Amino acid sequence: MAGRLLLVCRLMVRDLRRRRTETVLLLVAISAATATLTLGLALNNALAKPYERTRAATAGPDVVAMPGATGPQALAALAPLASAPGVTAHSGPYPIAYLMLTAHGKTVQVVVQGRDNSPAALDRPAVTTGTWVRPGGVVIEPTFANALGVRTGDTVAINGRPLRVVGTAVTAARAVYPNADWRFGPGSPLVQLAGLAWVDSSEIGVLADAKPPSYTLNLRFADPHASTSFRHMSRGGIEYTSWTQIAETDGRLVKQARLALLVGAWLLTALAVASVANIVAGRVVDQRRRVGLLKAVGAGPAMIAAVHLAEYLVIGLAAAGTGLTAGWLTAPALTNPGAGLLGSTGTHPPALRTVLAVTVLALAIAAAATLAPVLRAATTDTVHALADAATPPRRRRWRVWLSRRMPTALLIGVRVNARRPRRAHLVMVNTLITTTALAALFMGLAQDQQVRLGESELASPRNTRTLQAMFLVVVVLCVLALVNAIVSTWTAVLDARHPLAVARTLGATPAQVTAGMAVAQLLPAIPGVALGIPVGIGLYLVATPGQPQYAPASWMLAVALAVLFAVAVLTAIPALAATRHPVADALQ
Amino acid sequence: MTGSALLRARGVTRWYGRGSALVRAVDEVDLEVPAGQTLAIMGPSGCGKSTLLHLLGGLQRPTDGEIWLAEHRIDGMSERGLARLRRHHVGFVFQSFHLMDELTAVENVELAALLAGQSPRRARQRALDLLDRVGLADRAKHLPSALSGGQRQRVAIARALSNEPLLVLADEPTGNLDSAATLEVLRLFEELRRSGQTLVVVTHDPRIAAVADRIISMRDGAFADDNRLVGTTTIGTTTAAGTGTVYGRVR
Ligand SMILES: Nc1ncnc2c1ncn2[C@@H]1O[C@H](COP(=O)(O)OP(=O)(O)OP(=O)(O)O)[C@@H](O)[C@H]1O
Ligand SMILES: [Mg+2]
């Protein structure tokens, strides 16, 4: 037993070492898929989790009550609530004013809350930079500050009065920018986008031009059901907002980003499988010989399966680890900066569920792509396996006939494809997926990246984050597609070396041969691109609420041409390199 | 022949393809090889020598017929059963060596022993002994790529002997070697014959055939001649019509 174990380990280690490039490519391919899955799962709860963390850290209320009335009337309406049955704690009422904030030449709507340094039982905003409010200073919610481009120490104006930004702070008692709910006046049913800021409560009257302020009261109930049974309601002239409503509003900011990641993860997984299949297919000949050899010295099917599985298990597990780490490290970049909430996903180790899902995915990809050839090899006649040639190239009669009537480059391309139809399919899948993702990204870029807050526009955190997620997916996809393209073109060139050498002895020039190889890859790439663009646009339309704008046709044309150009160049390089060798070498 | 033959084949047939492309690579061959015999199989290219050897060693299944090895019927055996049989009872030597490129000489030799479940230490000791026997003790740690063709073939022979097989099958073991390397292999085979190893060699090389106890010539998938040589006397019977070359024995 020890001997067999030793053998399995030895064969595995030697093989991995001997095929370093392949091992690395496999690792990259599977890691890319697992990293995306990790990201998707991490962000799945991204805003819910930080919201809950923020709620715990800032003693967030269960319910926020705001009367429609102003001034003393409002205070009178709120007074009985604090001592109502079931209420275990309260803070406030705090004055609130709906004002305009000016910074860097932009004037936007802001909800200003008056606070002081007295301790509060509920809603103690956590200062993330600078200090808490003091007279003459304003504290801004960090997402809002980010969008405005202001930092601690800058000066902003509220309703024309200059105030120094003394800090930034997060709260769980109100949704983050741009959903802080601005109104034309207290009780106004019309809600508009706005940011949130805090000033010293003594100054709110001055800022509001002595108009009577509205008030907000934070409540906590003994019964958790009292706050989860509703989201928002109006009763007796008072509006009640539950924490679940705020959590949901904050979560909406990343909903689309999450969707982009989810779809991206599927696309990436498909591409990773194609990639792995591509890499594995490249070594099938070698693998068959190895299997035959092992069988000739008496290894049974179980042993052979063990040797190969061990290899891919190791690669799969390594890729799962790499993907988990990479995904987990990237996740905070998507929720931060300025998620307006406390904590980041990266500070906590991945959940067991995530680890399991990622490991299963990695192993499944590794197994799916490798098991079939191994099983086939293990059950075929040893003699067939030992014979060096893989399955002989297939001959497609009509294509050979067709290619006789074409220019040389096209002729060579068509014949090369006719030899290995499966590789041509792979090229198509590769370009299809890449183009789909790129088309969707360009749709995203065509959207309005700004939101209007009163007089001026600011960056939309939702669209920014969605674009970030899509961009991330596209970058990883392009890396994978590149790996795929390099592997498939190199193997195609290697495989076609002999027929191309024959073509050269018959008088084809290196340029014709190179062009021929490029055409061989371009032919299947064209339907991939042609299909990818509408699929990408469709995907974006399905995943986006409302009525998104279409990207200009010229952008899409550019994407298509760029992808095709990349495919052609990627093939031409190894093909050109191959034609530098004397014909005789290849003919041997 | 008595039933005590180590290897017995009855009506063994192997076809490839079908219809007009049908090739009768091996056509109803009967064969008995007693333990300890060295048998050389010769014949023109494409006459089915390799195919027959593969059938005898369980690397391939016959289309029809029966094969017994050491009283086990192997023609219908499962892949697992065949694997176990090869592991314990059959050693192969191929024209193109078929060593594992990523394993050193000694690791290649101990492969079969490890597969058979021997302890790593005993397998290593035996492998080193065998390499010593084929004169490659000083090359034990070399990769195949660092060995000459003749050296590689000697490693392959050492590997074939690793589990003290009942039967060694060699398919043109000198086909890729020059005459100096061929002589080394020849010396090894001569030694094997003397030690009583049952050996079936497919070869084009009359020098290899010359060390055999018996020479069979094949033609078109069937035996043309079957010559038994004892000492310098030929006690042979011709099984099929036709005049194959009769190989003399130089002693
Ligand atoms: N996989 C196969 N498919 C079809 N025909 C085959 C296959 N393998 C062998 N043959 C045919 O079977 C016949 C016998 O082949 P085999 O390899 O046994 O010949 P051989 O005597 O070993 O020849 P050589 O001396 O050239 O090695 C040949 O005609 C060959 O074409
Ligand atoms: Mg042969």
Side-chain angles (χ1 to χ4, degrees):
Chain A
M1 198 61 224
R4 281 184 214 168
L5 210 64
L6 173 80
L7 199 60
V8 169
C9 294
R10 179 185 286 164
L11 287 172
M12 175 186 80
V13 171
R14 298 291 168 79
D15 199 46
L16 289 181
R17 267 224 309 255
R18 205 156 69 100
R19 278 173 246 284
R20 246 170 256 158
T21 325
E22 256 176 45
T23 308
V24 169
L25 288 178
L26 271 174
L27 209 62
V28 169
I30 306 178
S31 298
T34 50
T36 324
L37 182 68
T38 312
L39 255 181
L41 289 176
L43 293 192
N44 211 21
N45 284 327
L47 269 207
K49 279 278 163 57
Y51 178 81
E52 274 146 22
R53 257 200 295 284
T54 310
R55 196 162 113 82
T58 62
D62 288 345
V63 171
V64 177
M66 278 186 6
T70 57
Q73 248 177 312
L75 288 172
L78 288 173
L81 292 183
S83 52
V87 172
T88 56
H90 76 277
S91 73
Y94 299 116
I96 278 199
Y98 303 105
L99 308 174
M100 300 306 285
L101 181 147
T102 308
H104 297 306
K106 287 185 172 159
T107 301
V108 295
Q109 293 157 342
V110 62
V111 177
V112 181
Q113 195 179 108
R115 293 298 284 256
D116 52 36
N117 273 315
S118 62
L122 293 177
D123 187 28
R124 300 185 287 264
V127 174
T128 51
T129 57
T131 62
W132 187 229
V133 289
R134 57 170 182 261
V138 59
V139 171
I140 303 182
E141 186 266 306
T143 323
F144 187 36
N146 245 0
L148 286 169
V150 301
R151 287 189 217 167
T152 309
D154 291 355
T155 301
V156 297
I158 292 182
N159 270 22
R161 281 168 228 273
L163 285 166
R164 243 171 93 80
V165 178
V166 293
T168 57
V170 298
T171 177
R174 214 172 177 95
V176 302
Y177 164 81
N179 297 315
D181 283 4
W182 192 89
R183 293 149 196 250
F184 285 99
S188 156
L190 216 64
V191 176
Q192 297 212 342
L193 299 179
L196 178 63
W198 294 269
V199 297
D200 195 88
S201 41
S202 63
E203 291 177 333
I204 201 157
V206 183
L207 293 175
D209 295 320
K211 268 193 274 177
S214 176
Y215 285 92
T216 173
L217 177 69
N218 301 308
L219 297 169
R220 175 161 296 166
F221 293 94
D223 178 13
H225 190 67
S227 55
T228 52
S229 59
F230 75 101
R231 286 194 167 170
H232 189 91
M233 64 176 181
S234 274
R235 199 159 54 202
I238 299 178
E239 276 184 57
Y240 298 88
T241 307
S242 135
W243 70 270
T244 54
Q245 163 80 18
I246 302 168
E248 203 264 343
T249 309
D250 285 355
R252 222 165 21 201
L253 289 182
V254 285
K255 208 170 182 178
Q256 239 186 312
R258 255 168 49 188
L259 199 63
L261 279 173
L262 197 75
V263 175
W266 282 113
L267 289 180
L268 268 174
T269 307
L271 205 53
V273 170
S275 195
V276 173
N278 195 4
I279 296 166
V280 171
R283 60 183 293 192
V284 137
V285 178
D286 207 48
Q287 206 169 44
R288 275 168 63 101
R289 218 180 68 94
R290 226 166 98 93
V291 167
L293 237 143
L294 280 170
K295 289 179 80 172
V297 293
M303 179 75 189
I304 287 163
V307 167
H308 288 86
L309 268 182
E311 227 175 290
Y312 293 110
L313 279 187
V314 165
I315 294 179
L317 287 179
T322 319
L324 265 176
T325 318
W328 210 252
L329 291 180
T330 342
L334 279 176
T335 42
N336 290 327
L341 295 165
L342 272 189
S344 59
T345 41
T347 52
H348 287 248
L352 187 67
R353 205 167 49 107
T354 312
V355 175
L356 275 180
V358 166
T359 311
V360 166
L361 175 73
L363 293 184
I365 296 179
T370 57
L371 217 54
V374 168
L375 284 184
R376 204 182 319 131
T379 48
T380 44
D381 267 355
T382 311
V383 175
H384 287 284
L386 270 178
D388 285 351
T391 32
R394 263 195 276 168
R395 197 177 154 81
R396 297 279 166 95
R397 210 170 283 152
W398 66 268
R399 281 197 237 188
V400 174
W401 174 85
L402 195 72
S403 63
R404 277 206 206 106
R405 276 136 241 271
M406 296 177 184
T408 315
L410 210 57
L411 180 145
I412 293 173
V414 169
R415 289 203 175 177
V416 165
N417 278 345
R419 281 168 57 84
R420 296 268 182 239
R422 206 174 303 160
R423 184 175 300 131
H425 295 167
L426 219 69
V427 171
M428 197 185 110
V429 170
N430 205 18
T431 42
L432 171 65
I433 294 179
T434 317
T435 318
T436 299
L438 281 172
L441 177 70
F442 276 80
M443 280 297 284
L445 281 173
Q447 304 311 309
D448 202 353
Q449 303 305 322
Q450 309 274 309
V451 284
R452 176 158 282 280
L453 287 83
E455 295 168 24
S456 303
E457 289 189 333
L458 287 182
S460 153
R462 192 180 68 164
N463 285 359
T464 318
R465 214 164 276 143
T466 308
L467 265 186
Q468 266 176 2
M470 285 168 62
F471 196 70
L472 191 91
V473 166
V474 165
V475 166
V476 184
L477 265 174
C478 284
V479 168
L480 252 192
L482 204 68
V483 168
N484 263 356
I486 289 172
V487 171
S488 84
T489 51
W490 268 109
T491 46
V493 168
L494 277 184
D495 196 49
R497 207 147 61 180
H498 192 263
L500 291 185
V502 173
R504 280 170 68 199
T505 52
L506 299 179
T509 65
Q512 278 174 328
V513 168
T514 305
M517 285 308 293
V519 167
Q521 302 278 311
L522 274 179
L523 285 179
I526 289 170
V529 168
L531 216 65
I533 294 218
V535 170
I537 294 174
L539 212 57
Y540 189 87
L541 293 181
V542 167
T544 310
Q547 284 190 322
Q549 279 159 327
Y550 283 88
S554 59
W555 290 15
M556 291 299 168
L557 194 68
V559 168
L561 291 180
V563 170
L564 291 178
F565 181 72
V567 170
V569 169
L570 277 172
T571 328
I573 292 169
L576 206 59
T579 56
R580 299 184 95 87
H581 292 291
V583 173
D585 286 0
L587 275 181
Q588 276 177 3
Chain B
M1 270 271 138
T2 54
S4 70
L6 176 72
L7 181 66
R8 269 191 297 151
R10 181 133 308 142
V12 168
T13 301
R14 172 73 206 207
W15 294 343
Y16 289 112
R18 55 179 58 175
S20 61
L22 183 81
V23 176
R24 293 162 189 263
V26 172
D27 200 7
E28 301 219 8
V29 162
D30 297 329
L31 176 68
E32 297 205 8
V33 182
Q37 189 174 65
T38 300
L39 166 66
I41 300 177
M42 303 187 75
S45 179
C47 69
K49 307 179 297 291
S50 299
T51 309
L52 177 63
L53 203 72
H54 294 152
L55 293 173
L56 296 179
L59 286 183
Q60 209 171 5
R61 281 173 229 269
T63 314
D64 198 9
E66 298 168 3
I67 304 171
W68 280 272
L69 175 62
E71 304 308 320
H72 297 289
R73 182 156 171 197
I74 68 169
D75 50 89
M77 249 188 203
S78 69
E79 275 296 325
R80 258 185 62 181
L82 285 176
R84 191 170 312 133
L85 187 90
R86 286 194 295 263
R87 193 189 303 157
H88 293 290
H89 301 313
V90 185
F92 282 98
V93 180
F94 297 98
Q95 176 175 358
S96 48
F97 323 132
H98 285 326
L99 297 176
M100 298 207 87
D101 301 331
E102 67 265 38
L103 299 184
T104 61
V106 66
E107 286 168 349
N108 262 295
V109 175
E110 70 187 8
L111 199 62
L114 289 178
L115 280 173
Q118 269 185 33
S119 82
R121 217 149 44 102
R122 272 190 50 203
R124 177 55 59 100
Q125 193 48 53
R126 167 123 182 103
L128 288 173
D129 289 347
L130 282 167
L131 278 180
D132 193 34
R133 190 167 154 198
V134 299
L136 289 174
D138 55 334
R139 294 284 193 279
K141 293 275 156 71
H142 289 225
L143 287 176
S145 53
L147 297 174
S148 74
Q151 288 169 336
R152 281 184 219 180
Q153 195 57 298
R154 281 187 282 156
V155 171
I157 292 172
R159 183 178 69 186
L161 298 175
S162 137
N163 279 332
E164 297 171 349
L166 295 173
L167 175 65
V168 171
L169 299 170
D171 192 355
E172 298 187 35
T174 57
N176 278 351
L177 302 180
D178 65 9
S179 60
T182 301
L183 284 178
E184 287 167 2
V185 170
L186 198 65
R187 191 184 58 76
L188 275 175
F189 278 164
E190 174 64 34
E191 198 187 307
L192 281 183
R193 189 185 70 84
R194 254 186 270 134
S195 67
Q197 173 71 57
T198 315
L199 182 63
V200 177
V201 193
V202 165
T203 186
H204 285 298
D205 191 332
R207 285 174 298 176
I208 294 273
V211 304
D213 301 318
R214 177 182 175 194
I215 297 171
I216 289 177
S217 295
M218 276 185 83
R219 188 142 309 160
D220 295 335
F223 292 170
D225 272 335
D226 190 345
N227 295 290
R228 272 162 242 276
L229 310 141
V230 173
T232 49
T233 330
T234 304
I235 329 170
T237 44
T238 304
T239 51
T243 48
T245 326
V246 177
Y247 296 90
R249 182 94 186 266
V250 198
R251 259 280 154 92

